[in-house]
Structures are given as C-alpha cells and as structure tokens.
Amino acid sequence: MKLWILSIIFVLGTGSLYAKEKGEFPSEWVLQKTTFSYPSNFEFPEEGSVELFESTLYFQNSLYFQIKNKEKKNSIYQYDLQTGTFQKKLWEKGRILGWTECKNQFLIQTKQKLYFVEPITWNVINESTVPSISPQWRDMVCANQKLYRLDNDQLQVLDMETWEVKSILPLPMKSVQRIVKHEDMEILLYSSFSGNMVKNFSIDEGNTKGEWKVKTNHRALFKLIHISSDRFLVFDPITKIYGEFYLFDDQLIPMAERLEKRSDGKAVRFSPIESNLQYQLEIQANEEIPETNIHVVLPKKDTYAQSLKEETFYSPSSFSLDETGNRTLTIPLAKMKKGESKTIKVYNGNLTRYKIHWKLDPNITLNREENESKFPNELRDDWFVKLNDLVVIEKSKELYEENLTLKKILEQTSKYTSSIPYKSGKFEPAPKVIEKNNGGCTEHSYVTMALLRGLGIPTRLIWNYLPTETSKEMSLNHKYVEVWIEGYGWIPMEPLAPPKSKPGVSHARHLVFAVLPTPTHPKILGGDRLVQFTKESFHLRKNLSLKLTILKDEKGEREEETIGLQPGQKQNRTIVSGEDLVVP
C-alpha cells in the first residue's frame, strides 16, 4: 500500500486535476491587510486606567486617551499606531468630559468650557464658556458648523458661532451610549443594550441609513473607532482587545485571522479554519468476494469557501472530475476471504474553510432564456420539486410580487425557507413540505429549488458537512442549495445555519463534497453516502462491509473567535461563535 502526490496539471483516470467549473467566474482572492499592527502587551507609560464610557479620540494615525492614576489625577496620552510610541500632552484645564475632531482641531469639553486645541502642540486656540450637559462624560460630534452633544436619547444641537442651543434632535434608538462621527452628515449611534448595535444616523435627514451588529465584547464596543471608509478599530486597554473590522455590505467583519476579498469586489471570505483531512476506509468481508471496485466521493477542490492543497491519493486508484467540479476516486479491491479485513488510507489533504459573504447588486436582473440555455439540468422539473404543482405555484404567487429584482426574490425565498420549522423528514417533495410546514435540511432544499427553478433561476443541491459540536470527524450530514447568478457564479442559500435568511452569506464553513442538479450522485447508488460499490460490483454490497471515516486535525478558531491577536497574545472572548455549530 502506498500514497502518491498529484502534480499541478496531472491527468488521471477520466478527468484532469484542475478544470474550470461550469458557471464559474474566474476571480482571485486578495488578502486584506489591517491598517496597523497591534501590540501584544499594551501598557501606558505611567500606571493608570481609562474609563469605560469615555471615548478614544482618533486623529492622523494616533489615538488619544484620558487616563486616571491612583491619585485620581488625569493625564492625556497620544499613542502613535504606526510607531507604537507614546507622547504625554500638557493639559491643565481640568477633567475632559467630551472631545471630538473638528476641522483638523480638537474641540474639548470641560465642566464649564469648550476649548479649541491644536492637535500637535495641544495649545489652546480659542475657548468659550459653554457648560457641559452632565458632570459625567458625554460624547459630541462636530458637523456642518454645528456641535451635536449626546443627551440621553437625543442630540443637543449648538450653533458653533453663538454656542446657543438651536434644536433638540430625537434619536431613532433607545439607550444610546456613544456617538461617533461617520461621514460629513452621518453619526454612528452605539448601544450595548440592543446586542452591540450600531446605527448609521443621518443628521440632515433624521433617519437611519443602516445598522450593524458588532461581534465583540460589549465593553470593547465603547472603544470602537471609525478610521476610514471601510475600517473600524477596536483598541480597548480595559478588555485587552485590539484589532480591526472591515465594513462590507453593511456588515462589520472581524479581520483577526484572515480576510480575503474577491478581486471583483463582490465577496469576502474570512475567519478560516485549517484542517488536515484524512479519509480512512475500513473493509470487512462477510463472505468470500472476487476482485471488485468501489467509488469514494472526495471533497471539491476549490470553491468560494474552501480550498485543498498538498493532496495525496491511494494507489492504485483512478481519479475522475466532472464539469461541475465533483471528484471521485475509484479503488480496485483484490479478492478477500470471508472474515478478512483491512484499512485503507484513501486520501489526505490540507483543507481551509471560510465564512463567506457575497454582496448582491440590488439591480441584477433575471434572464430566464439565457439560464435555460446554459443550465437545463439545474432548471429541470423532477419528482422532488414538482414545479407545476398548484401548491408550489400558489406559494410562489404569495411570495413574489411582479417586477421584483433578483436580489429581492432571493431575499424573500431565504426569509420563507428559514422560517420553516426544522423536523427530521422523509425526503418528501416540495409541495408536501410547503403543506406540512416542516422538514429536514433536504426538504428545506427541495422547497428552495422548487420556488427558484419555477422562476427560471438555476439551483443545485449541495452535499456537505455542517460542523457539529466538538466533532473530530467529518461526514455527509447536511444539504443546502446554491443558486447561479450572472456575473457572480454559484452562491449559497443556507436556511438552517447562521445567519440563515441572507442569500449569499454563510458562517457555517461547510465542507462541500458534491454539487448535484438532482438528489442522487451519478456514481453513488443507494442513497446519501460517500462510499459505494461501482454499478458492476453493486450486487456484492451484502458480502462486504464498508465504513468510511473522515478525520480532521484542526487549527483555527473553534469555540470562540479572536480579533487582532498577535502570536503569543492571550485570546479574548470577543465573538462567541465559530466551529461548534449544532446540526439542525
């Protein structure tokens, strides 16, 4: 028994090692680097601490902190994020109760006065008698010749020439704890009472333009800083959390482990888990058997959310690859006597799995005629979808208004299928699942495929492993659907794993084994499994027992994710999610 390694363009059996998948849009994944490097051990030059609700000021690649020492005296420190050096600033005007950057100057609030300060020298340029709203810290923002000060769930609006209160602006959320300037006329509203919610509030329009949930410690939320159009920084000496978030499609995505963006800008993948994948096949002869052959389904080599490198395959065997990227290994078995057993190391590879987020253009259109020409198999009617069944047709009418965009269609579909209660099913067709309003992952997939194929949107079924609690093995335990979109390729529709109702977004980090237009694999007879006798040897299935075990030796985030950690740094509980997802 021996293993051999495939070279880069090696042709074996019926397929080449690398092939462009049908419907794939070639694109590179580009690593997005953090703006700054972050310290493994951050300490102020003098012993002191920052207050939880006091903001950190960011200006020209530096952070400014107000710290309090044991004698309860306050000092101001500038920390240069590029050099990692400190500079103490001379400030003798009293405790700061709020600050903001305003026209390349700092506007600083004390108990009784407002000061304009030059950032480099910290010389006072101007001062005005304007009492603070509260003896405690209150955030403020400068925009359009006005000063906006947080006062509970409203903004006090001051004219910056007269310092008179011009108006009171109600805020669209309760329990606002922080305000941070975003764009010229936009303010970010923070609240840890709503699950670390950040809302983007338009000052001139008086409404919310977007909202994001920040997956970090609720204390670290108060140290979240906007540093560029698509970057946010958490730098919190209290929780020892340091790192960046990437703003993509109205989502703040942690950049802790690795974040890659597709070269066309349509997707990001992030928070990878690396595994050494090992296929082990145990064979037990129940009767004497002649020479025979078996098929083993291998994982797809490269998708938008997984990649495989340094692969080795059992020899002798033959490798095949179809036009959709499905891979199988055919293994010949020598004669075996009754009671004889053996274990074969079928396959080994280094696997990387990612969370994936596609950003769908709201204006993408549906070209049914072109889809039918390109993907007849992925649009075909069949027993499991029953496109012409009245139940499917009526549900489609209920969900989809006329002239809906393709993005809206996918959103409506995801919202509906994710609302169907999970219940282990019998692989019943889509109309029956719609009627009974429950089903397993396969049945959820049938409903998705029926609704979308009925509109002319190509769909296919995905055989995959959905991570289970602390499992050391992988298996075919789940199914979901991919849909094809012109200019994008195949994207996931996953109604049972987080975040469930967002088309093109999955945090599950599945391991994909096969993509299929129908529920059956062309080389696997007799149901959902990854190993089976070939068609010619299928009659021997009762005489030979086959057990395939897929082992994973893993590194990467599991029970919790980390943000901005350096090698050797203690991990922080910033995001409580990750590999340990319960299979529904």
Side-chain angles (χ1 to χ4, degrees):
M1 184 187 304
K2 59 181 179 179
L3 293 172
W4 50 275
I5 302 175
L6 293 178
S7 58
I8 294 179
I9 314 179
F10 200 84
V11 178
L12 177 68
T14 60
S16 62
L17 180 60
Y18 297 103
K20 178 186 174 184
E21 180 184 337
K22 181 183 178 183
E24 177 188 3
F25 285 82
S27 186
E28 294 182 355
W29 292 95
V30 181
L31 176 65
Q32 303 299 299
K33 296 182 179 180
T34 57
T35 310
F36 306 106
S37 296
Y38 300 101
S40 56
N41 292 296
F42 177 84
E43 293 182 358
F44 291 107
E46 64 178 277
E47 188 174 354
S49 61
V50 297
E51 295 292 330
L52 174 62
F53 292 103
E54 292 186 5
S55 67
T56 304
L57 189 61
Y58 174 79
F59 181 71
Q60 294 183 352
N61 302 325
S62 287
L63 298 175
Y64 294 82
F65 300 90
Q66 177 173 236
I67 70 168
K68 183 185 292 185
N69 62 21
K70 288 183 177 181
E71 288 74 37
K72 296 186 177 182
K73 293 183 178 180
N74 294 310
S75 301
I76 307 300
Y77 277 96
Q78 175 190 355
Y79 178 72
D80 190 314
L81 287 163
Q82 292 180 320
T83 64
T85 56
F86 287 94
Q87 184 177 354
K88 189 173 184 177
K89 297 298 183 180
L90 180 63
W91 180 253
E92 298 177 340
K93 302 297 183 179
R95 181 189 171 200
I96 297 174
L97 299 176
W99 53 15
T100 186
E101 183 271 332
C102 190
K103 298 180 180 179
N104 292 321
Q105 296 177 355
F106 293 163
L107 183 56
I108 294 177
Q109 175 78 68
T110 62
K111 186 176 181 180
Q112 295 295 333
K113 290 191 175 184
L114 279 170
Y115 297 90
F116 277 100
V117 173
E118 201 283 320
I120 304 300
T121 63
W122 268 66
N123 291 331
V124 174
I125 300 170
N126 195 2
E127 64 181 82
S128 299
T129 301
V130 182
S132 173
I133 295 175
S134 165
Q136 305 302 319
W137 185 278
R138 288 290 185 270
D139 278 342
M140 57 188 193
V141 166
C142 166
N144 196 29
Q145 296 298 317
K146 294 181 177 64
L147 180 65
Y148 298 82
R149 299 196 296 186
L150 179 62
D151 184 10
N152 296 318
D153 294 330
Q154 58 190 18
L155 295 178
Q156 187 188 76
V157 185
L158 284 75
D159 184 292
M160 291 184 63
E161 292 185 0
T162 64
W163 297 116
E164 294 179 356
V165 177
K166 290 295 184 181
S167 62
I168 299 296
L169 188 60
L171 294 176
M173 66 186 293
K174 299 294 183 182
S175 303
V176 176
Q177 295 161 295
R178 286 285 319 279
I179 61 172
V180 174
K181 189 172 182 179
H182 186 218
E183 302 295 346
D184 287 341
M185 295 301 292
E186 295 175 5
I187 291 177
L188 300 179
L189 313 176
Y190 295 10
S191 176
S192 64
F193 292 101
S194 303
N196 283 10
M197 179 67 71
V198 173
K199 288 194 176 185
N200 188 13
F201 178 65
S202 172
I203 300 172
D204 52 351
E205 297 175 10
N207 58 19
T208 301
K209 302 187 70 175
E211 61 181 48
W212 322 309
K213 282 207 171 184
V214 185
K215 295 182 179 180
T216 191
N217 182 290
H218 71 281
R219 293 176 179 270
L221 174 70
F222 303 124
K223 308 303 180 188
L224 181 70
I225 306 161
H226 181 224
I227 59 175
S228 67
S229 60
D230 60 3
R231 301 296 176 92
F232 285 77
L233 168 67
V234 169
F235 201 100
D236 183 20
I238 300 174
T239 60
K240 307 297 183 184
I241 294 173
Y242 313 104
E244 290 181 30
F245 285 91
Y246 188 82
L247 180 61
F248 182 80
D249 192 27
D250 280 340
Q251 298 292 316
L252 286 174
I253 300 171
M255 300 181 69
E257 301 295 329
R258 184 180 180 89
L259 186 145
E260 298 174 355
K261 189 174 184 179
R262 235 174 69 136
S263 55
D264 59 9
K266 293 178 179 177
V268 293
R269 62 185 189 183
F270 54 99
S271 299
I273 286 181
E274 297 178 358
S275 312
N276 177 254
L277 209 59
Q278 301 174 32
Y279 273 42
Q280 292 185 3
L281 180 61
E282 298 175 33
I283 305 168
Q284 174 74 45
N286 303 321
E287 299 290 342
E288 186 172 338
I289 65 162
E291 292 182 354
T292 187
N293 294 290
I294 58 173
H295 291 316
V296 179
V297 177
L298 301 177
K300 289 198 68 179
K301 183 168 178 61
D302 290 306
T303 73
Y304 49 77
Q306 77 185 41
S307 65
L308 280 159
K309 298 179 180 178
E310 299 178 14
E311 298 181 286
T312 59
F313 302 77
Y314 175 76
S315 178
S317 61
S318 59
F319 173 88
S320 64
L321 174 71
D322 69 17
E323 65 176 0
T324 58
N326 293 327
R327 308 191 303 165
T328 54
L329 203 63
T330 303
I331 299 173
L333 297 180
K335 295 179 181 180
M336 293 182 67
K337 295 179 181 180
K338 182 178 180 180
E340 186 180 350
S341 63
K342 63 174 70 175
T343 299
I344 296 176
K345 293 183 179 179
V346 174
Y347 168 81
N348 191 89
N350 290 332
L351 168 70
T352 305
R353 293 173 292 136
Y354 299 85
K355 298 180 179 182
I356 183 70
H357 188 122
W358 290 88
K359 181 180 181 179
L360 302 182
D361 186 336
N363 299 313
I364 49 178
T365 57
L366 172 61
N367 189 328
R368 183 165 190 156
E369 185 176 339
E370 184 176 337
N371 287 348
E372 289 173 346
S373 173
K374 286 183 176 180
F375 301 100
N377 292 334
E378 289 78 9
L379 285 168
R380 185 170 293 135
D381 196 3
D382 210 325
W383 70 265
F384 62 96
V385 285
K386 295 190 176 182
L387 304 183
N388 296 317
D389 191 289
L390 280 178
V391 173
V392 174
I393 293 171
E394 289 302 315
K395 178 55 70 174
S396 181
K397 290 179 180 178
E398 176 189 328
L399 291 175
Y400 312 122
E401 301 172 3
E402 290 187 11
N403 303 318
L404 277 183
T405 64
L406 181 53
K407 182 181 179 182
K408 285 292 185 183
I409 289 171
L410 298 181
E411 288 175 343
Q412 286 289 92
T413 307
S414 292
K415 182 179 179 181
Y416 167 62
T417 54
S418 64
S419 73
I420 298 174
Y422 180 87
K423 183 179 180 181
S424 184
K426 301 176 181 179
F427 296 176
E428 293 180 301
K432 182 65 176 176
V433 181
I434 293 171
E435 286 181 327
K436 68 179 184 176
N437 193 38
N438 64 62
C441 60
T442 302
E443 293 170 306
H444 280 77
S445 298
Y446 290 171
V447 173
T448 301
M449 297 171 82
L451 292 170
L452 296 181
R453 284 189 182 186
L455 298 175
I457 301 170
T459 65
R460 63 190 190 183
L461 189 65
I462 311 303
W463 279 13
N464 70 97
Y465 162 72
L466 176 64
T468 57
E469 290 184 340
T470 61
S471 173
K472 297 296 183 183
E473 299 179 5
M474 293 180 168
S475 61
L476 170 53
N477 66 0
H478 188 57
K479 294 170 193 165
Y480 65 93
V481 172
E482 284 182 342
V483 300
W484 187 84
I485 302 176
E486 176 67 37
Y488 289 76
W490 295 100
I491 70 166
M493 296 275 282
E494 168 57 283
L496 294 173
K500 296 185 179 181
S501 60
K502 290 184 68 68
V505 182
S506 176
H507 295 170
R509 290 176 291 208
H510 309 87
L511 170 61
V512 173
F513 295 109
V515 296
L516 306 166
T518 70
T520 57
H521 193 291
K523 290 197 173 186
I524 300 295
L525 303 175
D528 302 344
R529 53 191 302 163
L530 300 177
V531 60
Q532 186 57 285
F533 295 91
T534 61
K535 185 177 181 180
E536 296 76 18
S537 303
F538 191 64
H539 64 283
L540 299 172
R541 63 189 182 279
K542 293 183 180 180
N543 299 336
L544 195 66
S545 299
L546 304 175
K547 180 184 178 183
L548 180 66
T549 303
I550 305 176
L551 302 173
K552 58 175 181 176
D553 181 13
E554 209 156 72
K555 61 179 179 178
E557 54 172 291
R558 287 183 56 82
E559 294 182 351
E560 62 190 31
E561 299 181 44
T562 55
I563 177 170
L565 298 179
Q566 302 299 311
Q569 183 179 346
K570 181 180 178 182
Q571 293 191 354
N572 302 297
R573 298 185 68 84
T574 60
I575 306 171
V576 185
S577 63
E579 173 70 351
D580 290 349
L581 300 175
V582 178
V583 176

